[in-house]
Amino acid sequence: MLAKRAHSSFELRRKLKSRHSPDEIEEALSKLVRQGFLDDAQFALQRARLCRLDKAWGDRRIKLDLQSHKIGGAAIAKALAAAESEQGESQALQRIVDNWLRLRGRPETARELKKLYDRCLRMGHRPARIRACLDPYFSRLEWDPEA
């Protein structure tokens, strides 16, 4: 399993649960940790970088993803800092907006702008940062009270 991609201890334990006894699993995991093949902190670093660079996720989404893999708070903080140093959260957010503009064009209505805002929010970016990034589009909209 580790030959295909990195796994967290939690994830590997869960996958092995149906085929092996708890003692066998713990022994195998301990051996993998000692040999350097299984490292939750390294997994967190790789996962955070991948999610930021490939998926343009914000810190909130990356943190939730790592928590779902049962990664500890210190490892998450380190992974987020590493991801930020490679590509800032603002740059990732701008990639989402640029991609949206390329595919759908500039948002002309409040409804279209809300869809873009919601997309950025789902990708784990902070509301204040999204609003700041989208401010030029908010100021250009014609607000229709009926819409």
Side-chain angles (χ1 to χ4, degrees):
M1 284 185 241
L2 292 173
K4 291 182 181 178
R5 68 170 180 85
H7 287 69
S8 68
S9 298
F10 170 77
E11 190 178 21
L12 205 52
R13 187 176 284 114
R14 190 187 73 227
K15 288 182 175 186
L16 294 172
K17 194 176 179 180
S18 64
R19 298 185 217 145
H20 302 282
S21 73
D23 291 338
E24 290 174 322
I25 293 170
E26 290 310 313
E27 183 181 330
L29 292 180
S30 295
K31 187 176 181 180
L32 290 170
V33 168
R34 280 193 313 273
Q35 293 175 342
F37 293 115
L38 186 62
D39 182 351
D40 282 350
Q42 189 61 35
F43 169 81
L45 288 170
Q46 290 174 357
R47 183 90 177 174
R49 287 178 180 141
L50 173 78
C51 291
R52 177 64 54 81
L53 295 173
D54 290 353
K55 300 177 181 182
W57 284 4
D59 285 352
R60 292 174 40 199
R61 179 96 183 250
I62 294 171
K63 183 178 178 182
L64 286 173
D65 180 67
L66 292 175
Q67 286 173 337
S68 76
H69 286 89
K70 305 296 186 215
I71 303 298
I76 290 174
K78 206 175 201 178
L80 289 174
E84 182 68 25
S85 71
E86 284 191 34
Q87 182 181 67
E89 192 175 10
S90 296
Q91 294 166 312
L93 175 60
Q94 191 61 53
R95 282 182 34 224
I96 293 169
V97 172
D98 291 345
N99 190 46
W100 179 280
L101 295 174
R102 185 176 50 79
L103 295 173
R104 300 181 185 201
R106 198 185 99 192
E108 300 292 336
T109 66
R111 180 182 213 145
E112 290 173 356
L113 188 56
K114 175 146 179 22
K115 286 181 182 182
L116 174 54
Y117 179 91
D118 290 345
R119 168 86 174 135
C120 296
L121 201 58
R122 282 191 307 277
M123 298 301 281
H125 295 280
R126 289 175 248 175
R129 183 168 279 168
I130 297 169
R131 180 64 169 92
C133 183
L134 298 180
D135 191 52
Y137 305 103
F138 276 98
S139 60
R140 287 189 227 155
L141 278 183
E142 291 185 28
W143 295 94
D144 181 7
E146 301 283 324

